[in-house]
């Protein structure tokens, strides 16, 4: 017989996780569709009673996104311009009804290669906070998502927050998604770019990530390094000349590996141009 629990406190939830294997759910927008007509065979730990895990807050070093924070919460909250890509992605994750209940942590724990929230969070150097009854730890997002549907979360751990270092909130960002249609579609490829310019219009910081073109979304470190100290107007030329060796796209029903590789460059350039234009506009305002 399967069990269902809806703890009211974090301590209660962590104590339950010590008892055995539970499937943690919040929005459950991926869990129930994946179940289909199969009978439920897992014990369900519903964390929707944990009010302290929802919302955004600030501490001296981080902006903290609670694990139960919905994508509508992200979109509707006033955030620094560096979060623009994340807010744009928030409006690409399913229909509005999905965005109202689907959570930031759920998007990460589901660990789909096509998770729209991952590239924008990578450009913000996001860290995943995990807690168990014995303590807490934080992992960089790239170390948390290990592969398709695989994460570093231990059986007795709960993702409690996503933390954004304030050092990664400079500049402005943009998100570009490629799909077979405009809305309600799994991405063929998506890109997020964050750029911060110095007083002379040169790029002081660059963070670029591409999703759905490898088992885990990837930062384009070679391109980032090539952009730093260059004039903002050179982003197209530089992005067109750098190989995207970090990517390993596959053929599937949504697109071929070759198409994804070509499309990734185009949407990266579009994201960079959008981030550059918005950064310049923000500086002039």
């Amino acid at each position: 017989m399967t069990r269902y629990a809806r703890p009211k406190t974090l301590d209660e939830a962590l104590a339950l996780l010590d008892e055995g294997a539970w499937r943690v759910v919040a929005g459950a927008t991926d869990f129930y569709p994946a179940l289909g007509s199969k009978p439920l065979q897992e014990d369900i730990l519903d964390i929707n009673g944990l009010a302290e895990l929802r919302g955004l807050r600030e501490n001296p070093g981080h902006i903290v996104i609670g694990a139960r924070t919905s994508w509508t919460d992200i979109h509707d909250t006033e955030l620094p311009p560096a979060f623009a890509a994340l807010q744009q992605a928030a409006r690409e994750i399913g229909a509005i009804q999905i965005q109202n209940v689907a959570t930031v942590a759920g998007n990460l724990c589901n660990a789909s290669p096509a998770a729209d929230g991952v590239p924008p969070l990578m450009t913000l150097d996001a860290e995943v906070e995990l807690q168990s009854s014995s303590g807490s730890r934080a992992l960089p997002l790239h170390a948390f998502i290990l592969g398709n549907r695989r994460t570093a979360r231990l059986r007795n751990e709960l993702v409690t927050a996503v933390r954004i270092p304030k050092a990664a909130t400079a500049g402005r960002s943009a998100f570009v998604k490629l799909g077979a249609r405009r809305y309600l579609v799994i991405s063929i490829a998506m890109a997020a770019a964050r750029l911060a310019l110095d007083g002379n219009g040169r790029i002081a910081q660059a963070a670029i990530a591409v999703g759905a073109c490898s088992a885990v979304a990837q930062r384009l470190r070679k391109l980032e390094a090539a952009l730093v100290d260059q004039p903002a107007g050179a982003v197209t030329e530089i992005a067109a000349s750098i190989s995207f060796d970090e990517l390993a796209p596959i053929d599937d029903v949504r697109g071929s590996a070759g198409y994804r590789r070509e499309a990734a460059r185009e949407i990266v350039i579009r994201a960079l141009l959008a981030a550059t234009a918005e950064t310049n506009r923000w500086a002039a305002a």
Side-chain angles (χ1 to χ4, degrees):
M1 179 180 295
T2 58
R3 297 182 296 166
Y4 170 85
R6 194 174 192 270
K8 294 182 173 60
T9 68
L10 180 57
D11 286 344
E12 183 184 351
L14 298 180
L16 286 167
L17 287 172
D18 282 335
E19 292 181 4
W22 292 84
R23 180 63 177 261
V24 179
V25 300
T29 56
D30 285 304
F31 174 68
Y32 285 113
L35 192 63
S37 60
K38 295 180 293 186
L40 183 63
Q41 295 181 329
E42 298 177 275
D43 293 336
I44 301 300
L45 182 64
D46 180 349
I47 63 170
N48 283 300
L50 306 183
E52 67 265 42
L53 297 190
R54 184 164 187 174
L56 291 91
R57 63 186 187 277
E58 190 173 346
N59 65 33
H62 298 83
I63 293 175
V64 181
I65 303 170
R68 286 189 52 240
T69 303
S70 74
W71 291 105
T72 295
D73 295 335
I74 293 293
H75 182 269
D76 291 349
T77 299
E78 186 174 345
L79 292 166
F83 286 77
L86 186 63
Q87 293 182 303
Q88 290 160 8
R91 277 295 175 254
E92 301 283 354
I93 296 175
I96 290 176
Q97 295 92 330
I98 296 294
Q99 295 160 16
N100 287 343
V101 295
T103 64
V104 174
N107 198 242
L108 304 186
C109 291
N110 193 45
S112 166
D116 289 327
V118 175
L121 286 168
M122 282 189 164
T123 66
L124 293 166
D125 292 340
E127 304 165 355
V128 179
E129 179 184 278
L130 301 113
Q131 289 196 41
S132 69
S133 60
S134 59
S136 64
R137 61 179 179 139
L139 291 174
L141 180 53
H142 67 81
F144 175 75
I145 301 177
L146 302 178
N148 184 12
R149 311 295 181 177
R150 294 192 302 115
T151 74
R153 186 181 75 87
L154 301 178
R155 179 190 56 76
N156 68 331
E157 288 182 318
L158 184 68
V159 174
T160 51
V162 178
R163 307 189 316 203
I164 309 300
K166 289 186 177 178
T169 62
R172 187 158 185 119
S173 63
F175 176 79
V176 177
K177 173 174 176 169
L178 173 65
R181 58 180 185 267
R182 181 66 182 87
Y183 294 108
L184 304 178
V185 64
I186 297 174
S187 294
I188 298 170
M190 84 284 284
R194 179 178 62 85
L195 296 176
L197 307 184
D198 65 18
N200 297 314
R202 290 184 172 270
I203 298 168
Q205 290 184 27
I208 304 134
V210 172
C213 289
S214 43
V216 180
Q218 296 291 318
R219 285 277 292 267
L220 301 184
R221 302 286 184 180
K222 186 187 297 185
L223 176 56
E224 292 172 2
L227 287 169
V228 171
D229 292 331
Q230 299 302 312
V235 295
T236 298
E237 179 183 355
I238 295 170
S241 67
I242 298 293
S243 61
F244 291 4
D245 297 333
E246 298 90 345
L247 304 183
I250 62 169
D251 299 326
D252 66 12
V253 295
R254 284 181 288 278
S256 68
Y259 175 69
R260 278 192 165 93
R261 192 172 291 279
E262 292 185 16
R265 189 177 304 277
E266 175 62 27
I267 62 175
V268 163
I269 290 172
R270 293 185 187 185
L272 286 168
L273 289 173
T276 302
E278 292 296 336
T279 299
N280 283 330
R281 183 185 65 80
W282 185 264

